[in-house]
Amino acid sequence: MQIHTNTREMQYLADNFPDGTIVFPHFGSSPEDIFKRIAIVASHKNACIDISGSGIDARGHSGTRVKEIGSDRVLYGSDFTINEPSSVIAPSNQCLSHA
């Protein structure tokens, strides 16, 4: 299931549905939100997150995302048609090649 949520809702879903695989889109809009989302996904094996809509605030956090969550649970997402996919592919490849 993929679902848009705030961090409080993410925590609830990850805690209460451990048998379901949940994909949370977006890392958040502020550094604080990004790190909260990373922590939630990293601590719940049933949770994954995609990089869609990561925007400028998430740049530079790529290494942290992959190291804490694991490259198998950080998924590609472009937010196409809002974003040009190539603007997300290059940073994603760079991040994953260093994981």
Side-chain angles (χ1 to χ4, degrees):
M1 164 177 45
Q2 180 176 8
I3 187 165
H4 285 79
T5 61
N6 61 39
T7 53
R8 183 178 49 82
E9 293 164 336
M10 280 180 75
Q11 186 73 56
Y12 176 85
L13 290 168
D15 287 344
N16 289 287
F17 297 94
D19 296 328
T21 301
I22 306 168
V23 177
F24 296 107
H26 310 298
F27 270 95
S29 58
S30 70
E32 179 184 3
D33 196 38
I34 291 167
F35 287 113
K36 282 181 182 177
R37 287 172 171 268
I38 289 171
I40 292 167
V41 174
S43 64
H44 293 83
K45 297 296 181 191
N46 62 320
C48 301
I49 195 160
D50 79 29
I51 60 169
S52 66
S54 293
I56 206 81
D57 287 329
R59 305 269 190 245
H61 296 293
S62 299
T64 302
R65 299 189 295 229
V66 173
K67 286 178 185 169
E68 290 187 29
I69 296 170
S71 61
D72 58 328
R73 295 191 298 132
V74 177
L75 310 175
Y76 171 78
S78 70
D79 257 0
F80 185 76
T81 61
I82 297 167
N83 294 321
E84 164 60 37
S86 63
S87 69
V88 181
I89 292 171
S92 300
N93 284 338
Q94 181 180 9
C95 169
L96 294 174
S97 68
H98 291 53

